[in-house]
Amino acid sequence: MKRAITPKIQKAETVIKAVDPKLRVKKIKPPGTKFRVNSKSVKTAVQGLITFTTENPKLKNRLFEDEQFPLFLQINSVKIPTGHSKIVRISLKHSTLTPDSDVCLIVPDVKGIANKNHDEHLVHYEELLRRKGVENIKKIMTFHEFRTEYETFELKRRLVELYDAFLVDGRISGKTVKKCGKIFYKKRKVPTSIKLQVTKLKEHIEQALCKTLLHLHPNGDSFTVQIGHSKMELADLAENVFSVLEGLEKDFPGGFENVRSINMYSYRGISIPIYTTLKNQNEVVLPQVKKQKIIDTVSGDLSTRLHSKARVTPKGKVIVKRIKRKIKEKE
């Protein structure tokens, strides 16, 4: 069935074909039609959410006039993703941080310099950032300092509250994230990996600070991603919403077809829907998760205990068994 053409568009096509019959007219879709989300409706939802949160009498004692609060998108999936939990970072057009935000950079220890010479490590990286024109780093922390001085949960909680965002050199990204703990995930401040060796380091760091975190998990059908804060322009927030939609199409399990609904909300505020669908679950296809290789049980003699054998199961359980030996009588 052909799509209905308005009289103005039909008249324009007639004029163009009269000039050149071989010329084809390319129809331009309005913004937001790809995901069936209207940009104007998004701006209206943002404005209504900010107004309700700031003018709510129950929240006036908790929010100051000049205090900003974060804005989020709640994403509900049609099918629950399978596989292990992982972090997906979606690039936004506008950063959720402000020029006054404090950023902490975790760097590896410089080879050839002892760990006790802490100041020499900092001077090395301060000179590197100065040469590259980077000025938005509040704190430089070595991995040795992060590993030794922030071991307990309480110390990590204080560290998370001190800074608005964390960056980490890609060479130590894996072991740094493992040391972070649950508090970094809860506060949505898991360090973002960067490369300190790139030529345009300043632009590279700015791009990293424009990313927002999406935690994918198989524990339910609800996911949360931050799109900005209440002091941002409405147009910038709307563009960030569509950046998230593009990221869902690319990185969300099953793509945007697996999205049931999207709601916009803030802490202690209302939830405003901007997208919903009644799609059947059978219409959504999730990517297949690779099965892990089955590891057989391994057994052998123990060198630390006499007359004993150890058996390790595929799940990592260690079973130690003592061997009974018969003693023969000497003739």
Coordinates of all heavy atoms in Angstrom, one line a residue, residues 229-302:
H229 N 21.5 16.4 33.6 CA 21.1 17.0 34.9 C 20.1 18.2 34.6 O 20.0 18.6 33.4 CB 22.3 17.4 35.7 CG 23.2 18.4 35.0 ND1 23.0 19.7 34.9 CD2 24.4 18.1 34.3 CE1 24.0 20.3 34.2 NE2 24.8 19.3 33.9
S230 N 19.5 18.7 35.6 CA 18.5 19.7 35.5 C 18.9 21.0 35.0 O 18.1 21.8 34.6 CB 17.8 19.8 36.9 OG 18.7 20.2 37.9
K231 N 20.2 21.3 35.1 CA 20.7 22.6 34.7 C 21.1 22.7 33.2 O 21.5 23.7 32.7 CB 22.0 23.0 35.5 CG 21.6 23.2 37.0 CD 20.6 24.3 37.3 CE 20.3 24.5 38.7 NZ 19.3 25.5 39.0
M232 N 21.0 21.6 32.5 CA 21.3 21.6 31.1 C 20.2 22.1 30.3 O 19.0 22.2 30.7 CB 21.6 20.1 30.6 CG 22.8 19.5 31.2 SD 23.1 17.8 30.8 CE 23.3 17.9 29.0
E233 N 20.5 22.6 29.0 CA 19.5 23.1 28.1 C 18.5 22.0 27.7 O 18.9 20.8 27.6 CB 20.1 23.7 26.9 CG 21.0 24.9 27.2 CD 20.2 26.1 27.7 OE1 19.0 26.2 27.4 OE2 20.8 27.0 28.5
L234 N 17.3 22.3 27.4 CA 16.3 21.3 27.0 C 16.7 20.7 25.7 O 16.5 19.5 25.5 CB 14.9 22.0 26.8 CG 14.3 22.5 28.1 CD1 12.9 23.1 27.8 CD2 14.2 21.4 29.2
A235 N 17.3 21.5 24.7 CA 17.7 20.9 23.4 C 18.8 19.9 23.6 O 18.9 18.9 23.0 CB 18.1 22.0 22.5
D236 N 19.8 20.2 24.6 CA 20.9 19.3 24.8 C 20.4 18.0 25.4 O 20.9 16.9 25.1 CB 21.9 20.0 25.7 CG 22.5 21.2 25.1 OD1 22.4 21.3 23.8 OD2 23.2 22.0 25.8
L237 N 19.4 18.1 26.3 CA 18.9 16.9 27.0 C 18.2 16.0 25.9 O 18.3 14.8 25.9 CB 18.0 17.2 28.1 CG 18.6 17.8 29.4 CD1 17.6 18.4 30.3 CD2 19.5 16.7 30.1
A238 N 17.4 16.7 25.0 CA 16.7 15.9 24.0 C 17.7 15.2 23.1 O 17.5 14.1 22.7 CB 15.8 16.9 23.2
E239 N 18.8 15.9 22.7 CA 19.8 15.2 21.9 C 20.4 14.1 22.6 O 20.8 13.1 21.9 CB 20.8 16.3 21.4 CG 20.3 17.3 20.5 CD 21.3 18.3 20.1 OE1 22.4 18.4 20.7 OE2 21.1 19.1 19.1
N240 N 20.6 14.2 23.9 CA 21.2 13.1 24.6 C 20.2 11.9 24.7 O 20.7 10.7 24.7 CB 21.5 13.5 26.1 CG 22.8 14.3 26.1 OD1 23.5 14.4 25.1 ND2 23.1 14.8 27.3
V241 N 18.9 12.1 24.7 CA 18.0 11.1 24.7 C 18.1 10.3 23.4 O 18.1 9.0 23.4 CB 16.5 11.6 24.9 CG1 15.5 10.5 24.6 CG2 16.3 12.1 26.3
F242 N 18.2 11.0 22.3 CA 18.3 10.3 21.0 C 19.7 9.6 20.8 O 19.8 8.6 20.1 CB 18.1 11.3 19.8 CG 16.6 11.6 19.7 CD1 16.1 12.8 20.2 CD2 15.7 10.8 19.1 CE1 14.8 13.2 20.0 CE2 14.4 11.1 18.9 CZ 13.9 12.3 19.4
S243 N 20.7 10.1 21.5 CA 22.0 9.4 21.5 C 21.9 8.1 22.2 O 22.5 7.1 21.8 CB 23.0 10.3 22.2 OG 23.3 11.5 21.5
V244 N 21.1 8.1 23.3 CA 20.9 6.8 24.0 C 20.1 5.8 23.2 O 20.4 4.6 23.2 CB 20.1 7.1 25.4 CG1 19.7 5.8 26.0 CG2 21.0 7.9 26.3
L245 N 19.1 6.3 22.4 CA 18.3 5.5 21.5 C 19.2 4.8 20.5 O 19.1 3.7 20.2 CB 17.2 6.2 20.9 CG 16.2 6.9 21.8 CD1 15.0 7.5 21.0 CD2 15.6 5.9 22.8
E246 N 20.1 5.6 20.0 CA 21.1 5.1 19.0 C 22.0 4.0 19.6 O 22.3 3.0 19.0 CB 21.9 6.2 18.4 CG 21.2 7.2 17.5 CD 20.8 6.7 16.2 OE1 21.3 5.6 15.8 OE2 20.0 7.3 15.5
G247 N 22.4 4.3 20.9 CA 23.2 3.3 21.6 C 22.5 2.0 21.9 O 23.1 0.9 21.8
L248 N 21.2 2.1 22.2 CA 20.4 0.9 22.4 C 20.3 0.1 21.1 O 20.3 -1.1 21.2 CB 19.0 1.3 22.9 CG 18.9 2.0 24.3 CD1 17.5 2.3 24.6 CD2 19.5 1.0 25.4
E249 N 20.1 0.8 20.0 CA 20.0 0.1 18.7 C 21.3 -0.7 18.4 O 21.3 -1.8 17.9 CB 19.8 1.1 17.6 CG 19.8 0.5 16.2 CD 18.6 -0.4 15.9 OE1 17.5 -0.2 16.7 OE2 18.6 -1.2 15.0
K250 N 22.5 -0.2 18.9 CA 23.7 -0.8 18.6 C 24.2 -1.8 19.7 O 24.7 -2.9 19.3 CB 24.8 0.3 18.5 CG 26.2 -0.2 18.2 CD 27.2 1.0 18.2 CE 28.6 0.5 18.0 NZ 29.6 1.6 18.0
D251 N 24.0 -1.5 21.0 CA 24.6 -2.3 22.0 C 23.6 -3.1 22.9 O 24.0 -4.0 23.7 CB 25.5 -1.4 22.9 CG 26.6 -0.8 22.2 OD1 27.2 -1.4 21.3 OD2 26.9 0.4 22.5
F252 N 22.3 -2.7 22.9 CA 21.4 -3.4 23.7 C 21.1 -4.8 23.1 O 20.9 -5.0 21.9 CB 20.1 -2.6 23.8 CG 19.2 -3.0 24.9 CD1 19.5 -2.8 26.2 CD2 18.0 -3.7 24.7 CE1 18.7 -3.2 27.3 CE2 17.2 -4.1 25.7 CZ 17.5 -3.8 27.0
P253 N 21.0 -5.9 24.0 CA 20.8 -7.2 23.4 C 19.4 -7.3 22.7 O 18.4 -7.0 23.3 CB 20.7 -8.1 24.7 CG 21.5 -7.3 25.7 CD 21.3 -5.9 25.4
G254 N 19.5 -7.6 21.4 CA 18.3 -7.6 20.6 C 18.0 -6.3 19.9 O 17.0 -6.2 19.2
G255 N 18.8 -5.3 20.2 CA 18.6 -4.0 19.6 C 17.4 -3.2 20.1 O 16.9 -3.6 21.2
F256 N 17.0 -2.2 19.4 CA 15.9 -1.4 19.9 C 14.6 -2.2 19.8 O 13.6 -1.8 20.4 CB 15.8 -0.1 19.0 CG 14.9 0.9 19.6 CD1 15.3 1.7 20.7 CD2 13.6 1.1 19.1 CE1 14.4 2.6 21.3 CE2 12.7 2.0 19.7 CZ 13.2 2.8 20.8
E257 N 14.6 -3.2 19.0 CA 13.4 -4.1 18.9 C 13.1 -4.8 20.2 O 11.9 -5.2 20.4 CB 13.6 -5.1 17.8 CG 13.7 -4.6 16.4 CD 12.4 -3.9 15.9 OE1 11.4 -4.3 16.3 OE2 12.5 -2.9 15.2
N258 N 14.1 -4.9 21.1 CA 13.9 -5.6 22.4 C 13.5 -4.6 23.5 O 13.5 -4.9 24.6 CB 15.1 -6.3 22.8 CG 14.9 -7.2 23.9 OD1 13.8 -7.7 24.1 ND2 15.9 -7.5 24.7
V259 N 13.2 -3.3 23.1 CA 12.8 -2.3 24.1 C 11.3 -2.3 24.2 O 10.6 -2.0 23.2 CB 13.3 -0.9 23.7 CG1 12.8 0.1 24.7 CG2 14.9 -1.0 23.7
R260 N 10.8 -2.5 25.4 CA 9.3 -2.5 25.7 C 8.8 -1.1 25.9 O 7.8 -0.6 25.4 CB 9.0 -3.4 26.9 CG 7.5 -3.3 27.4 CD 6.6 -3.9 26.4 NE 6.7 -5.4 26.4 CZ 6.1 -6.2 25.5 NH1 5.4 -5.7 24.6 NH2 6.3 -7.5 25.6
S261 N 9.5 -0.4 26.8 CA 9.1 1.0 27.1 C 10.3 1.8 27.6 O 11.3 1.2 28.1 CB 8.0 1.0 28.2 OG 8.5 0.4 29.4
I262 N 10.2 3.1 27.5 CA 11.2 4.0 28.0 C 10.5 5.1 28.8 O 9.7 5.8 28.3 CB 12.1 4.6 26.8 CG1 12.8 3.5 26.0 CG2 13.1 5.6 27.4 CD1 13.5 4.1 24.8
N263 N 11.0 5.3 30.0 CA 10.4 6.3 30.9 C 11.5 7.3 31.3 O 12.6 6.8 31.6 CB 9.7 5.7 32.1 CG 8.6 4.8 31.7 OD1 7.9 5.1 30.8 ND2 8.4 3.7 32.5
M264 N 11.2 8.5 31.5 CA 12.1 9.5 32.0 C 11.8 9.9 33.4 O 10.6 10.1 33.8 CB 12.1 10.8 31.1 CG 13.1 11.8 31.4 SD 12.9 13.3 30.4 CE 13.1 12.5 28.8
Y265 N 12.8 9.9 34.3 CA 12.5 10.2 35.7 C 13.7 10.8 36.4 O 14.8 10.8 35.8 CB 12.1 8.8 36.4 CG 13.3 7.9 36.7 CD1 13.9 7.9 38.0 CD2 13.8 7.1 35.8 CE1 14.9 7.1 38.3 CE2 14.9 6.3 36.1 CZ 15.4 6.3 37.3 OH 16.5 5.5 37.6
S266 N 13.5 11.3 37.6 CA 14.5 11.8 38.5 C 14.3 11.2 39.8 O 13.2 10.7 40.2 CB 14.5 13.3 38.5 OG 13.3 13.8 39.1
Y267 N 15.3 11.3 40.7 CA 15.2 10.8 42.1 C 14.1 11.5 42.8 O 14.0 12.8 42.8 CB 16.5 11.0 42.8 CG 17.6 10.0 42.4 CD1 18.9 10.4 42.3 CD2 17.3 8.7 42.0 CE1 19.9 9.5 41.9 CE2 18.2 7.8 41.6 CZ 19.5 8.2 41.5 OH 20.5 7.4 41.1
R268 N 13.2 10.8 43.5 CA 12.1 11.3 44.2 C 11.1 12.1 43.4 O 10.4 13.0 43.8 CB 12.5 12.2 45.4 CG 13.5 11.5 46.3 CD 13.9 12.4 47.5 NE 14.9 11.9 48.3 CZ 16.2 12.1 48.2 NH1 16.6 13.0 47.3 NH2 17.1 11.6 49.0
G269 N 11.1 11.9 42.1 CA 10.2 12.6 41.1 C 9.3 11.6 40.5 O 9.1 10.4 40.9
I270 N 8.5 12.1 39.5 CA 7.6 11.3 38.8 C 8.3 10.6 37.6 O 9.4 11.0 37.2 CB 6.4 12.1 38.3 CG1 6.9 13.2 37.3 CG2 5.6 12.6 39.4 CD1 5.7 14.0 36.7
S271 N 7.6 9.7 37.0 CA 8.1 9.0 35.8 C 7.2 9.3 34.6 O 6.0 9.1 34.7 CB 8.2 7.5 36.0 OG 8.7 6.8 34.9
I272 N 7.8 9.8 33.5 CA 7.1 10.2 32.3 C 7.4 9.3 31.2 O 8.6 9.2 30.8 CB 7.4 11.7 32.0 CG1 7.0 12.6 33.1 CG2 6.6 12.1 30.7 CD1 7.4 14.1 32.9
P273 N 6.5 8.6 30.6 CA 6.7 7.7 29.5 C 7.0 8.5 28.2 O 6.3 9.5 27.9 CB 5.5 6.8 29.4 CG 4.4 7.7 30.0 CD 5.0 8.5 31.0
I274 N 8.0 8.1 27.4 CA 8.2 8.7 26.1 C 8.2 7.7 25.0 O 8.2 8.1 23.8 CB 9.6 9.4 26.1 CG1 10.7 8.4 26.3 CG2 9.6 10.5 27.1 CD1 12.1 9.1 26.2
Y275 N 8.1 6.4 25.3 CA 8.0 5.3 24.3 C 7.4 4.1 24.9 O 7.8 3.7 26.1 CB 9.4 5.0 23.7 CG 9.4 3.8 22.8 CD1 9.0 3.9 21.5 CD2 9.8 2.6 23.2 CE1 8.9 2.8 20.6 CE2 9.8 1.5 22.4 CZ 9.3 1.6 21.1 OH 9.3 0.5 20.3
T276 N 6.6 3.4 24.2 CA 6.0 2.1 24.6 C 5.5 1.3 23.4 O 5.2 1.9 22.4 CB 4.9 2.3 25.6 OG1 4.5 1.0 26.1 CG2 3.7 3.0 25.0
T277 N 5.5 0.0 23.6 CA 5.1 -0.9 22.5 C 4.5 -2.1 23.1 O 4.8 -2.5 24.2 CB 6.3 -1.3 21.6 OG1 5.8 -2.1 20.5 CG2 7.3 -2.0 22.3
L278 N 3.5 -2.7 22.4 CA 2.8 -4.0 22.8 C 3.3 -5.1 22.0 O 2.6 -6.1 21.7 CB 1.3 -3.8 22.6 CG 0.7 -2.7 23.4 CD1 -0.8 -2.6 23.1 CD2 0.9 -2.9 24.9
K279 N 4.6 -5.1 21.6 CA 5.2 -6.2 20.8 C 5.2 -7.5 21.5 O 5.4 -7.6 22.7 CB 6.6 -5.8 20.4 CG 7.3 -6.7 19.4 CD 8.6 -6.2 19.1 CE 8.5 -4.8 18.4 NZ 9.9 -4.3 18.1
N280 N 4.9 -8.6 20.7 CA 5.0 -9.9 21.2 C 6.4 -10.4 21.4 O 7.3 -10.0 20.6 CB 4.3 -10.9 20.2 CG 4.0 -12.2 20.8 OD1 4.7 -12.7 21.7 ND2 2.9 -12.8 20.5
Q281 N 6.6 -11.2 22.5 CA 8.0 -11.6 22.7 C 8.5 -12.5 21.6 O 9.7 -12.6 21.4 CB 8.0 -12.4 24.0 CG 7.8 -11.6 25.3 CD 8.0 -12.3 26.5 OE1 8.2 -13.6 26.5 NE2 8.1 -11.7 27.7
N282 N 7.6 -13.2 20.9 CA 8.1 -14.1 19.8 C 8.7 -13.3 18.6 O 9.3 -13.9 17.8 CB 6.9 -15.0 19.4 CG 6.4 -15.9 20.5 OD1 7.2 -16.3 21.3 ND2 5.1 -16.2 20.5
E283 N 8.4 -12.0 18.6 CA 8.9 -11.2 17.5 C 10.4 -10.7 17.7 O 11.0 -10.2 16.8 CB 8.0 -10.0 17.2 CG 6.6 -10.4 16.9 CD 5.7 -9.2 16.7 OE1 6.3 -8.0 16.7 OE2 4.5 -9.3 16.5
V284 N 10.8 -10.9 18.9 CA 12.2 -10.5 19.3 C 13.2 -11.6 19.3 O 12.9 -12.7 19.9 CB 12.1 -9.8 20.7 CG1 13.5 -9.3 21.1 CG2 11.2 -8.6 20.7
V285 N 14.3 -11.4 18.7 CA 15.3 -12.4 18.6 C 16.6 -11.9 19.4 O 17.1 -10.9 19.0 CB 15.7 -12.8 17.2 CG1 16.8 -13.9 17.2 CG2 14.5 -13.3 16.4
L286 N 17.0 -12.6 20.4 CA 18.2 -12.3 21.2 C 19.4 -13.0 20.6 O 19.3 -14.1 20.1 CB 18.0 -12.6 22.7 CG 16.9 -11.9 23.5 CD1 16.9 -12.4 24.9 CD2 17.1 -10.4 23.4
P287 N 20.6 -12.3 20.7 CA 21.8 -13.0 20.3 C 22.1 -14.2 21.1 O 21.9 -14.2 22.3 CB 22.8 -11.9 20.4 CG 22.3 -10.9 21.4 CD 20.8 -11.0 21.3
Q288 N 22.6 -15.2 20.5 CA 23.0 -16.4 21.2 C 24.3 -16.2 22.0 O 25.2 -15.6 21.5 CB 23.2 -17.6 20.2 CG 21.9 -18.0 19.5 CD 22.1 -19.1 18.5 OE1 23.3 -19.6 18.3 NE2 21.1 -19.6 17.9
V289 N 24.2 -16.7 23.2 CA 25.4 -16.6 24.1 C 26.2 -17.8 24.0 O 25.7 -19.0 24.0 CB 24.9 -16.5 25.6 CG1 26.1 -16.4 26.5 CG2 24.0 -15.3 25.7
K290 N 27.5 -17.6 23.8 CA 28.4 -18.7 23.6 C 28.6 -19.5 24.9 O 28.7 -19.0 26.0 CB 29.8 -18.2 23.2 CG 29.8 -17.6 21.8 CD 31.2 -17.1 21.5 CE 31.3 -16.5 20.1 NZ 32.7 -16.0 19.7
K291 N 28.4 -20.8 24.8 CA 28.5 -21.7 25.9 C 30.0 -21.9 26.3 O 30.9 -22.0 25.5 CB 27.9 -23.1 25.7 CG 26.4 -23.0 25.4 CD 25.8 -24.4 25.2 CE 24.3 -24.4 24.9 NZ 23.8 -25.7 24.7
Q292 N 30.2 -21.9 27.6 CA 31.6 -22.1 28.1 C 32.0 -23.5 27.9 O 31.2 -24.5 28.0 CB 31.7 -21.7 29.6 CG 31.4 -20.2 29.8 CD 31.6 -19.9 31.3 OE1 31.7 -20.8 32.2 NE2 31.5 -18.6 31.6
K293 N 33.3 -23.7 27.7 CA 33.8 -25.0 27.5 C 33.7 -25.8 28.8 O 34.0 -25.3 29.9 CB 35.3 -25.0 27.1 CG 35.5 -24.3 25.7 CD 36.9 -24.3 25.4 CE 37.2 -23.7 24.0 NZ 38.6 -23.7 23.6
I294 N 33.3 -27.1 28.7 CA 33.2 -27.9 29.9 C 34.6 -28.4 30.3 O 35.3 -29.1 29.5 CB 32.3 -29.1 29.6 CG1 30.9 -28.6 29.2 CG2 32.2 -30.1 30.8 CD1 29.9 -29.7 28.8
I295 N 34.9 -28.2 31.6 CA 36.2 -28.6 32.1 C 36.0 -29.8 32.9 O 35.2 -29.9 33.8 CB 36.8 -27.5 32.9 CG1 36.9 -26.2 32.1 CG2 38.2 -27.9 33.5 CD1 37.4 -25.0 32.9
D296 N 36.8 -30.9 32.6 CA 36.7 -32.1 33.3 C 37.4 -32.0 34.7 O 38.1 -31.1 35.0 CB 37.5 -33.2 32.6 CG 36.8 -33.5 31.2 OD1 35.6 -33.2 31.1 OD2 37.5 -33.9 30.3
T297 N 37.0 -32.9 35.6 CA 37.6 -33.0 36.9 C 39.0 -33.4 36.8 O 39.4 -34.3 36.1 CB 36.8 -34.0 37.8 OG1 35.4 -33.6 37.8 CG2 37.3 -34.0 39.2
V298 N 39.9 -32.7 37.6 CA 41.3 -32.9 37.6 C 41.7 -33.5 39.0 O 41.2 -33.0 40.0 CB 42.1 -31.6 37.4 CG1 43.6 -31.9 37.4 CG2 41.7 -31.0 36.0
S299 N 42.5 -34.5 39.0 CA 42.9 -35.1 40.3 C 44.4 -35.5 40.2 O 45.0 -35.6 39.2 CB 42.1 -36.4 40.6 OG 42.3 -37.4 39.6
G300 N 45.0 -35.5 41.4 CA 46.4 -35.9 41.5 C 46.9 -35.9 42.9 O 46.1 -35.7 43.9
D301 N 48.2 -36.3 43.1 CA 48.7 -36.4 44.5 C 49.1 -35.1 45.1 O 49.4 -34.1 44.3 CB 50.0 -37.3 44.5 CG 49.7 -38.7 44.0 OD1 48.5 -39.2 44.3 OD2 50.5 -39.4 43.5
L302 N 49.0 -35.0 46.4 CA 49.3 -33.7 47.1 C 50.8 -33.8 47.5 O 51.2 -34.8 48.1 CB 48.4 -33.5 48.3 CG 47.1 -32.8 48.0 CD1 46.3 -32.7 49.4 CD2 47.2 -31.5 47.4

